[in-house]
Amino acid sequence: MTTSAILPARGLADRLTALFWRHPRVLLALLLTPPLLWLGVVYLGSLAALLLQSFYSIDEFSGVVKEEFTLKTYTELLRPSNFDILVRTVTMAAAVTLACAILAFPIAYFAARYARGHWKAAFYLGVMLPLWSSYLVKVYAWKLILAKEGIIGWAAAQTHTSWIIDSILSIPGFESSSLSTSPIGTFMVFVYIWLPYMILPMQAALERVPNSMLEASADLGATRAQTFRTVVLPLALPGIIAGSIFTFSLTLGDYIIPQIIGNSANFIGMAVYQLQGTAGNIPLAAAFAVVPILIMLIYLALARRMGAFDAL
Amino acid sequence: MSTAVEFLNVARHFGPASAPVRAVDGVDLTIAEGSFFAMLGPSGSGKTTCLRLISGFEKPTGGTIRIFGEDVSNTPPHLRNVNTVFQDYALFPHLNVRDNVAYGLMVKGMGRAKRYAKADEMLALVHLDSHGDRKPSQLSGGQRQRVALARALVNEPRVLLLDEPLGALDLKLREAMQDELKALQKRLGLTFVFVTHDQHEALSMADSLAVFSEGRIAQIGSPQDIYNRPATRFVADFVGSSNILPPDLTRALGGPAEWASLRPEATHLAATGPVSGTVTALRYLGAGTRVVIMMGETEVAALVPAGQPVPAEGQTTSITFDQKALHLMGST
């Protein structure tokens, strides 16, 4: 045997592999530099610019942005007309998140615990399929569905259950001539559009709860309800929180659904859209945009304190 | 002594009725109260399914299961007074050790102070008194095993089920836990039903054991019975490392024309004998050397104790044994 212990390098790829083997950090640096540049400069940079803008103010006569630090813009947020927008948006986001969580849980639970093979494929397809069509198309489709002459109204008339819709539409605060012009309609479309973002993380979290954990709970004498409360829910909580971050923040920032469906009451996203566009009030638009960020930070801090991430 | 668990012609089939997978098929079984009962068998033999039938995680498709005389066919797991130590321990990761142990008492509505006192008592029994505030992830494998044991025992079950509880432990810890489990069982006087695929574990710990094969019980009896008088070739082969002699070889070696099992430790080397063969493999075991001799088409192993001469590979040798050591298993 005369073969040498070290084989000759065959080309650039060999030499690069050898370099990465001798200096593992070089590869890591090469891989991480582009995304970190993107994250650092483009993403965090623009976020900082946004924050900066929110501390400027606008000269009410000339409409020119004054580049001096002031909290004046934030105090404007507290004016009743603006504060109403904040309360309305946060209430809607909370209601949408809660409804999504309640609707998503059984679906996610079925997919994680029972669905196998074809059923699992059907689940993924069913959840993802709505995401493949245009958001605008779906929203306008819902406008037709919810309209007075739409399929829901027609079905209710045929089954003599129109009184249900009528009584919902006569609840103080939700009064309207049809679902498509009522806040109830806005809520329904929000829930429909964001539901997949709640199901998927929930399903992933539930899938990580081993079956033996549920069996152990039953073995120790727990009823199904007790197992759900003391084992399933705490272990699935990180997934529920992840899903609620999606539904909550997406609702907080959306400006299209409340424009097309509902009574045209202003939401944060719509306010930002109008303020930076027609009104040219960039500082106030920025201040509005900071609100969802703050709310999410508070929400995460609370969730963390409640131990939502202990099982991670 | 009364009967703790009784299986009457129990079956558990999976899949369609036309082509069922018979995980458990026609099992009759009686486990005496206060005994340490082992279910031994290769994977897929039905032993774990039998354990799950007792705990209630599987429903029998035929037959009757009684626990202390009561038919449990329609009793869900949470109403059965039996507890399980799971193979992967299944400790709740979000609860600390004390809350894990107290879980069974908590769901039954016992107050916090009382259940913590009982949990601490049980943790002391498994020598983990100082670990109550830790999370399961902060414990070693052996410690988790003890927590799982304490969590089951705190409920004072009538029967304790253990599903390969020592499988994940290293050899040294495993042997220590075997002794400890056995001692604990004696002290508490509880009925333990223990599933394992390790014949040494089953033989050394159990008062009585059932050997499973393909969903049926191949043999049931004391460890001595099973080891010395295996009922079938499967049992002889699976329990320990017995030689299985086909009828013609048994006759050539001086026995009747029947299948027979012969323990390597009962087999001695001899320069001459009725049948001789070539040494094909040597395995040094510390306390002795296992010598494999090819006799016709059958491999026969002999155990040569340390200090005695060992033949070289390729050498020709014969064997001798006490005829009483030959265990006959019929001619088919």
Side-chain angles (χ1 to χ4, degrees), chain B:
Chain B
M1 206 153 49
S2 64
T3 301
V5 180
E6 199 176 8
F7 275 42
L8 298 169
N9 197 25
V10 169
R12 176 68 177 99
H13 296 174
F14 294 96
S18 53
V21 177
R22 298 167 202 272
V24 171
D25 203 24
V27 165
D28 285 301
L29 184 66
T30 310
I31 300 173
E33 182 179 3
S35 68
F36 198 123
F37 189 89
M39 294 178 172
L40 176 66
S43 56
S45 61
K47 57 190 193 306
T48 298
T49 309
C50 272
L51 196 79
R52 293 169 61 81
L53 283 164
I54 303 175
S55 57
F57 298 125
E58 298 287 350
K59 275 190 216 161
T61 43
T64 311
I65 299 171
R66 293 208 185 99
I67 300 177
F68 286 93
E70 290 174 64
D71 187 346
V72 293
S73 302
N74 289 311
T75 312
H78 75 282
L79 297 177
R80 296 190 187 195
N81 202 356
V82 299
N83 287 112
T84 308
V85 176
F86 288 84
Q87 189 171 10
D88 62 353
Y89 314 140
L91 299 177
F92 303 123
H94 58 297
L95 301 179
N96 67 23
V97 166
R98 182 177 296 109
D99 280 318
N100 259 286
V101 175
Y103 186 85
L105 305 174
M106 190 261 293
V107 295
K108 286 176 201 109
M110 187 182 283
R112 183 185 295 256
K114 204 171 164 198
R115 68 173 190 258
Y116 278 180
K118 289 198 89 168
D120 284 337
E121 206 176 288
M122 208 41 76
L123 282 171
L125 187 74
V126 295
H127 315 297
L128 281 176
D129 353 17
S130 55
H131 293 65
D133 295 319
R134 299 202 193 168
K135 283 282 173 73
S137 57
Q138 295 168 298
L139 302 182
S140 70
Q143 289 171 329
R144 282 181 214 182
Q145 215 273 323
R146 286 156 201 263
V147 175
L149 193 62
R151 185 178 69 171
L153 286 173
V154 79
N155 303 290
E156 299 171 6
R158 297 291 304 266
V159 181
L160 185 73
L161 309 173
L162 304 108
D163 186 5
E164 306 222 9
L166 308 180
L169 305 181
D170 60 56
L171 186 66
K172 193 115 182 146
L173 199 54
R174 202 178 165 115
E175 285 173 348
M177 278 310 290
Q178 285 177 1
D179 294 341
E180 219 169 301
L181 267 180
K182 184 75 191 155
L184 197 65
Q185 188 263 341
K186 275 214 177 107
R187 184 138 57 99
L188 300 172
L190 263 176
T191 311
F192 276 32
V193 181
F194 189 99
V195 160
T196 180
H197 62 262
D198 180 337
Q199 67 272 28
H200 300 298
E201 204 165 272
L203 291 172
S204 65
M205 297 174 78
D207 304 324
S208 169
L209 67 145
V211 183
F212 280 77
S213 166
E214 293 173 354
R216 291 172 169 276
I217 293 182
Q219 188 174 3
I220 191 162
S222 71
Q224 290 77 10
D225 277 346
I226 304 265
Y227 191 79
N228 294 320
R229 289 178 290 282
T232 66
R233 270 180 278 155
F234 171 80
V235 176
D237 188 34
F238 188 73
V239 180
S241 42
S242 216
N243 295 307
I244 296 170
L245 310 178
D248 47 346
L249 185 57
T250 315
R251 200 181 45 208
L253 286 167
E258 280 186 38
W259 286 91
S261 76
L262 182 65
R263 296 283 158 198
E265 59 272 27
T267 313
H268 309 290
L269 296 183
T272 54
V275 187
S276 42
T278 317
V279 175
T280 55
L282 296 170
R283 186 137 55 102
Y284 180 63
L285 302 170
T289 305
R290 191 181 157 92
V291 180
V292 180
I293 308 147
M294 202 67 182
M295 293 188 152
E297 297 193 338
T298 311
E299 283 190 342
V300 178
L303 191 74
V304 178
Q308 292 190 17
V310 174
E313 245 177 80
Q315 213 172 309
T316 306
T317 185
S318 184
I319 53 164
T320 111
F321 51 87
D322 187 346
Q323 286 293 330
K324 275 189 283 184
L326 200 63
H327 171 69
L328 302 173
M329 298 182 292
S331 51
T332 51

